Amino acid sequence: DADVTQTPRNRITKTGKRIMLECSQTKGHDRMYWYRQDPGLGLRLIYYSFDVKDINKGEISDGYSVSRQAQAKFSLSLESAIPNQTALYFCATSDLGLAGGADTQYFGPGTRLTVL
Amino acid sequence: AQTVTQSQPEMSVQEAETVTLSCTYDTSESDYYLFWYKQPPSRQMILVIRQEAYKQQNATENRFSVNFQKAAKSFSLKISDSQLGDAAMYFCAYRSAPYGGSQGNLIFGKGTKLSVKP
C-alpha cells in the first residue's frame, strides 16, 4: 500500500460547490502539507501542519481551508470552488529528520481538480 | 524571500547520453537544503536527490549526481546513461534549515521537461 494516499484522484465540480480533498499517510510523520501545481508554475504551498494543533497558511491560502483530523489525516477544503482553482493538488508529509535536519517531503499521487 | 529558477523549460537527450539540468536559487541564508524531484507522466512526485548546503561533497544517487556551487548559488542535476524512463518533469526545490523563515517548506522552481530519444 502507498504511504501517502489522496482521495479522490480526479474530481470535476461546478463553480460555487464545496469540495474536500483528503490525504492520509501511514509513514508516521508529524508534518503534512498541501501544494497546488499549475502548468508552468511549479508547486506552491497552500497550507501546512506541523502537528494536529499547529496549522499554518502557506503562500496561496486564500479560498482554501484545512483540517488536521489526526496525525495521519489532513484535509483540504474549497468552500466555494471557482474555475481558477482548477489544478493538480498534492499532499506531502515529512518528519524532522536527524537532528532537525533535511526532512524530506514525500508526496501523494495528486488529485486533479477541475472547476467548471 | 528565497526563489528558485530553472532556466530550461525543456531539454532533450539521446538514450545512453548524459544531460545536465540547471537550477539557480537566491537566498541570504547560509544553511539550507536543495532537492531535485522527478514527476513522470503518472504525475507522482519522486525525490531524486538532495544536498545539504553545509556539505562540500556533491551528492550522488546511482546515475544521478549534482554539481553544487554554493558561492554561485547553482545546483545542477546530471543524469548519466539516460534511460527512456528518465523522461519526466524535473523540479528543483529549496528548503531553509534548520527551520528558518519559511518554516522548512519547499520552494519549487517551475520545472524542466526532459525528453529522452531512443
Side-chain angles (χ1 to χ4, degrees), chain A residues 43-83:
Chain A
L43 279 74
R44 294 179 292 166
L45 183 66
I46 306 172
Y47 269 95
Y48 61 101
S49 171
F50 283 178
D51 64 42
V52 175
K53 296 181 180 180
D54 180 19
I55 293 177
N56 304 278
K57 292 182 178 181
E59 178 187 355
I60 52 165
S61 60
D62 287 348
Y64 301 94
S65 63
V66 291
S67 174
R68 186 80 184 266
Q69 301 94 325
Q71 185 205 36
K73 296 183 181 297
F74 192 36
S75 301
L76 175 72
S77 293
L78 288 68
E79 297 301 325
S80 180
I82 56 177

